Amino acid sequence: MNEGVENDIPAGPTGHDCIQGYLRTLPSRPGVYRMLDAQSRVLYVGKARNLKARVSNYARPSGHTPRIARMIRETASMMFLTTRTETEALLLEQNLIKQLKPKFNVLLRDDKSFPNILVTGDHPYPQIKKHRGAKKEKGSYYGPFASAGAVNRTLNQLQKAFLLRNCSDSVFETRTRPCLLHQIKRCSAPCVGRISGEDYAESVRDAERFLSGRDTKVQETLARQMQDASDAMEFERAAALRDRIRALTQVQTAQGINPRTVGEADILALHMEGGQACVQVFFIRAHQNWGNRDFYPRVGEDVDHAEVLEAFIGQFYDTKEPPRLLLLSHPIESPDLMIEALSEKLGRKVEIAVPQRGEKAELIEGALRNARESLGRKMAESAAQGKLLRGLAEAFGLETVPERIEVYDNSHIQGAHAVGAMIVAGPEGYLKNQYRKFNIRGDELTPGDDFGMMKEVLSRRFKRLLKEDPDRDKGLWPDLLLIDGGQGQVSAVHEIMAQHGVEDVAMVGVAKGIDRDHGKEEFHRFGERPFALRRNDPVLYFVQRLRDEAHRFAIGTHRAKRAKAVSANPLDEIAGVGASRKRALLQHFGSAKAVSRANLADLKAVEGVSEALAERIYGHFHESG
């Protein structure tokens, strides 16, 4: 893609004079340019059909918006990458924006992957499950869904309707009797032969037809089968079919919007107000609404709808597969270029439209209403959050209002399955994509040593910060640390921070206080006397919510770790024991514990277990004996 690279010229003039110095050597070709400040931080990334023509616009002394004028004044150097086509320049520009997060670009800040439903394709009895991430597993994918909740609700109803298994292949192979899902009529129990391969395959085809939008035919077929069962006096079977039809109807009802004329599209509606923006995205697949998500890209004061929406589309689909149709609330700057880029990514034609009438326009109006209401709620929440942060700074004697608060907590049961947790909050509330968990590794720690665990967590945290953001210009450093504990924890954390040369980050310990009562918290700062806030102080409630959120996250992480340890099967750790041999061992002995107690002769008697494997299994459980 990149045919030439030009680096910045030596330090010297800034602003218009600096930019003017590049015009003599710039080619009149497509490419991407970067504007950097005196500390070589990227201010802006842009694309151009003609680099020389685009950069010459910045060299003009007047005629710029306030945002662009400020960006030009801060520019101390520039970098350039030439490309073969403008489409390549667009793709490279969006990639660099996501990577570098420039100060003056429109930036999509929340860019998580979206879950899909996967019907596996590498097993005689396919599994239906939620899938997130790269589509490497064999099978049919349906999505995206806007959230895990939307997928789980749909999967729940699909299990009722089609009775497909959701267990893993290893669990499937080792079942000897139907599980609870079969008893509550959510699975047809193919693992123990309660349904034939042909009938299960038909159920899979019905599920895939429903997920592909051919749901009417599926429901018609089930309705005929229900009537036939009723006529044949098979009332129990008729009732089961009735329940399956209801489950499908419930999926459609929950989806709300089910457009007749739009089979596959993403609906993107933008509302801007008060220097903030909200993009509402609805996912329409197979004539069904698979949920919506709102996004709040970072925008400047003087950007227009076309620039924001085009930047959003480029960054949003950088790592996602676009649909065949994008319905937009506003035109974008370069629709033909975006169509070409998205079509190249998808491998088939992508259309972009701004509908003015009909059902598509109604869909856009609904999405716009959601965007407007979502932004209104967020602005109200941000105003309240800002007031609380100012109150927090005043209560704790901070020099500035904190932009990033990190709250730490530990969770364990008598030292077992110990984890540390960090949550992050700021002017926009909880930043859940910044949450982190820490598996406690210290072998020398005494079980239940909260001081030691907190030391380990903070040590690992600041080591990483010093490595990833030594100049503190990426927004990763906290302005305030909240620690669950009193003077002892505060002293321990202060020691760790001093060891790493970090002495300018404010830290406060939150202790339960008298009788460990909610509302009587004491606050500790290193080298200062503890203090308390008024019982009805909004700042006190705010700190309590932060601490409770950290506790919730720590407890959830601990429970997940403990559940994983409890469900682990020791047979999985033995090389050569796959699903079929594990099933044979469990059927022969009844449990993994019984296998561990078996003698060598009994292990050799199990079908499929060779003498060498029997010795390996015996040795695994008797290494110390």
Side-chain angles (χ1 to χ4, degrees), residues 70-89:
R70 193 165 63 252
M71 180 178 76
I72 291 171
R73 283 196 303 271
E74 293 184 28
T75 299
S77 63
M78 295 186 71
M79 298 179 68
F80 306 91
L81 291 166
T82 58
T83 58
R84 288 189 295 270
T85 65
E86 193 180 0
T87 302
E88 287 184 355

Side-chain angles (χ1 to χ4, degrees), residues 378-394 400-403 405 426-429 539 542 545:
K378 184 173 179 62
M379 292 174 71
E381 291 168 2
S382 296
Q385 186 82 353
K387 186 176 180 180
L388 287 171
L389 290 172
R390 290 190 294 274
L392 188 70
E394 183 179 348
T400 59
V401 177
E403 292 287 320
I405 302 171
E428 297 176 357
V539 173
F542 179 47
R545 290 198 300 273

Side-chain angles (χ1 to χ4, degrees), residues 119-238:
V119 180
T120 59
D122 55 355
H123 196 281
Y125 294 92
Q127 171 193 8
I128 187 168
K129 64 179 181 178
K130 178 174 65 179
H131 177 88
R132 192 190 290 271
K135 298 178 180 178
K136 295 180 179 179
E137 214 172 326
K138 290 183 180 178
S140 302
Y141 292 85
Y142 301 92
F145 286 79
S147 65
V151 170
N152 292 336
R153 285 191 296 273
T154 302
L155 280 174
N156 185 39
Q157 299 304 323
L158 290 178
Q159 280 182 269
K160 292 180 183 178
F162 302 110
L163 310 181
L164 302 184
R165 72 178 180 97
N166 68 352
C167 59
S168 65
D169 290 350
S170 60
V171 171
F172 180 91
E173 296 295 337
T174 55
R175 291 300 305 181
T176 57
R177 59 181 181 177
C179 67
L180 179 63
L181 286 177
H182 175 71
Q183 296 175 33
I184 62 174
K185 298 180 181 177
R186 299 273 181 100
C187 179
S188 53
C191 54
V192 291
R194 295 294 177 90
I195 185 174
S196 69
E198 294 78 9
D199 289 343
Y200 190 85
E202 181 60 32
S203 294
V204 171
R205 284 193 291 272
D206 285 345
E208 292 187 318
R209 281 198 291 268
F210 180 84
L211 289 168
S212 300
R214 302 190 292 276
D215 51 299
T216 304
K217 295 181 181 178
V218 174
Q219 287 166 292
E220 288 175 356
T221 301
L222 291 175
R224 284 197 304 271
Q225 292 175 357
M226 181 180 71
Q227 186 61 49
D228 292 343
S230 179
D231 293 342
M233 309 290 283
E234 297 176 3
F235 298 119
E236 188 174 345
R237 181 167 178 268

Side-chain angles (χ1 to χ4, degrees), residues 300-491:
E301 298 173 359
D302 47 22
V303 294
D304 57 19
H305 288 78
E307 182 181 352
V308 173
L309 204 49
E310 179 166 301
F312 178 87
I313 292 169
Q315 294 172 49
F316 186 72
Y317 294 108
D318 180 53
T319 55
K320 298 178 181 66
E321 186 177 280
R324 295 172 184 253
L325 174 63
L326 300 183
L327 297 177
L328 310 183
S329 60
H330 299 82
I332 59 176
E333 293 178 336
S334 309
D336 294 340
L337 188 61
M338 188 62 73
I339 287 171
E340 185 179 345
L342 295 179
S343 299
E344 184 178 312
K345 181 179 180 66
L346 186 61
R348 62 177 186 235
K349 180 69 172 177
V350 171
E351 294 182 39
I352 294 179
V354 185
Q356 303 298 318
R357 61 181 67 86
E359 186 182 40
K360 293 176 181 176
E362 292 174 6
L363 292 172
I364 287 291
E365 182 54 41
L368 264 175
R369 184 175 61 254
N370 275 271
R372 188 164 51 247
E373 293 171 355
S374 295
L375 185 58
R377 286 193 298 270
K378 184 173 179 62
M379 292 174 71
E381 291 168 2
S382 296
Q385 186 82 353
K387 186 176 180 180
L388 287 171
L389 290 172
R390 290 190 294 274
L392 188 70
E394 183 179 348
F396 291 165
L398 307 180
E399 294 180 1
T400 59
V401 177
E403 292 287 320
R404 180 185 174 99
I405 302 171
E406 294 184 356
V407 191
Y408 293 85
D409 196 8
N410 297 324
S411 182
H412 60 89
I413 295 179
Q414 296 181 338
H417 313 302
V419 295
M422 176 190 85
I423 71 156
V424 182
E428 297 176 357
Y430 296 121
L431 306 177
K432 295 194 174 183
N433 61 340
Q434 300 284 315
Y435 285 17
R436 295 293 181 267
K437 59 183 179 182
F438 302 83
N439 289 314
I440 303 300
R441 301 169 182 165
D443 297 330
E444 73 283 357
L445 290 179
T446 304
D449 180 3
D450 286 327
F451 286 10
M453 284 189 280
M454 189 60 72
K455 278 186 175 183
E456 179 181 328
V457 168
L458 268 296
S459 179
R460 286 163 58 186
R461 171 64 179 154
F462 281 101
K463 278 182 181 177
R464 185 161 187 169
L465 274 177
L466 289 166
K467 180 180 178 181
E468 294 183 349
D469 190 11
D471 297 326
R472 305 194 186 190
D473 58 0
K474 297 180 181 178
L476 301 178
W477 281 76
D479 302 306
L480 173 65
L481 300 183
L482 289 181
I483 308 297
D484 185 32
Q487 198 62 51
Q489 278 89 345
V490 168
S491 297

